Amino acid sequence: MNHPYLSPAWNHRLAAAFDSPSFQHLTAFVEGERAIYQVFPPPDEVFTAFQLTPYEQANVVILGQDPYHDYGQAHGLCFSVKSGPTLPPSLVNMFKELQTDVGFQPRGHGYLVSWAEQGVLLLNGVLTVRAHAANSHRAKGWEPFTDAVLAALNEKTDRVVFVLWGAYAKKKAKLITSPHHVIIAGVHPSPLSAHRGFFGSRPFSQINTALTSAGKPPIDWQLPPLR
C-alpha cells in the first residue's frame, strides 16, 4: 500500500513494511488507542520526519526511542518539541553539547525542523505513544517498521551517518552493513546517562566531518528563531 503522508520514494522502499501483517495489527492497535485515549503525536504528524526529509536527501539519521508523551511536545521528529520555553532534559543536554562542540547558541526553543530540512532524519524507533504513558506503544509493531526504514537507508549508495545514542539505539547497528556508511554510537543525552560520556563526545562535529569527507555539505546546527 502507499501511505498518504509519505513521498513516492519512501513509499516505494517501505511498501513491504506497510503491507506486512505486523503493520496491519499496529494500525488497528493505534486506531483503538486513539478511540479511547489521547495519543501523541496527532495522526497527521506521525510521519513528519519522512515528509521533511526525503529519502534521496537523508544524509544523517538520529535515532530516538519513544515520542514525548506530554502536551504540545511530540510532532513526529525525535528529540524535537513544537513550542514552549520548557525543553525536555535530553534536548537541554544536546544543546549544551552543541554549544561546546560547534558554538551553538540556544534560541529558547527546541523545534528542530531546520535540521530535518537539511537531511537529518529525526527518527524514533516507536512513532506513537499514549499521553503520559512512556513506552505504551512499544512492541506493538512500530519496531519492525522503523527497522525497515534503517534497512532502506543502509541500501543507499551514498554515505549516511547513523547516530545511535544509548543501548536501545546501539542495538540497531546490526542493520547498518554497508561499509561506506558511518556509525556514531555513544551515550544517550538523558540526564540519567549524559555525564557518563555524552558530554565532551562532540558528535555534531563528528557528523559534519563524516559528511564533508564524503563530499556532502555539513549540517548547520544553529536553529533559526521561531517564525
Side-chain angles (χ1 to χ4, degrees):
M1 83 176 191
N2 284 338
H3 198 281
Y5 290 120
L6 267 67
S7 68
W10 277 120
N11 268 316
H12 172 68
R13 287 162 179 83
L14 299 175
F18 280 128
D19 289 337
S20 67
S22 68
F23 196 85
Q24 308 308 313
H25 292 306
L26 168 68
T27 300
F29 166 77
V30 174
E31 288 176 354
E33 287 278 285
R34 290 195 189 278
I36 303 172
Y37 307 103
Q38 179 138 26
V39 171
F40 299 127
D44 62 339
E45 294 182 341
V46 171
F47 293 98
T48 298
F50 303 91
Q51 293 169 290
L52 294 179
T53 309
Y55 178 82
E56 300 88 345
Q57 297 171 26
N59 294 326
V60 180
V61 181
I62 297 179
L63 184 63
Q65 185 169 348
D66 195 45
Y68 297 127
H69 53 81
D70 212 345
Y71 295 107
Q73 294 185 318
H75 64 111
L77 303 179
C78 74
F79 295 109
S80 180
V81 287
K82 274 185 176 180
S83 61
T86 303
L87 301 180
S90 292
L91 188 56
V92 170
N93 287 339
M94 287 169 61
F95 286 174
K96 288 179 181 177
E97 180 61 18
L98 275 159
Q99 285 181 272
T100 58
D101 189 2
V102 298
F104 175 90
Q105 295 298 312
R107 296 294 195 193
H109 71 85
Y111 194 57
L112 306 182
V113 165
S114 68
W115 296 2
E117 291 175 339
Q118 294 178 74
V120 181
L121 184 71
L122 295 168
L123 178 70
N124 275 316
V126 174
L127 300 189
T128 55
V129 67
R130 187 190 303 171
H132 321 305
N135 290 314
S136 50
H137 289 188
R138 184 179 176 185
K140 302 298 184 182
W142 279 122
E143 292 87 350
F145 174 77
T146 52
D147 282 358
V149 174
L150 295 173
L153 292 165
N154 180 60
E155 293 173 358
K156 290 191 71 167
T157 56
D158 56 319
R159 172 169 291 174
V160 179
V161 183
F162 293 85
V163 182
L164 308 178
W165 289 326
Y168 174 86
K170 288 177 184 176
K171 291 176 183 175
K172 306 298 183 179
K174 64 181 182 292
L175 300 170
I176 315 306
T177 58
S178 296
H180 55 275
H181 297 318
V182 171
I183 295 173
I184 296 174
V187 174
H188 195 277
S190 160
L192 298 174
S193 56
H195 292 281
R196 298 203 299 266
F198 178 76
F199 292 129
S201 62
R202 304 182 71 89
F204 304 98
S205 57
Q206 286 187 61
I207 293 166
N208 280 348
T209 296
L211 291 173
T212 56
S213 66
K216 295 192 169 195
I219 304 301
D220 179 3
W221 298 108
Q222 184 61 57
L223 297 176
L226 277 180
R227 294 188 288 271

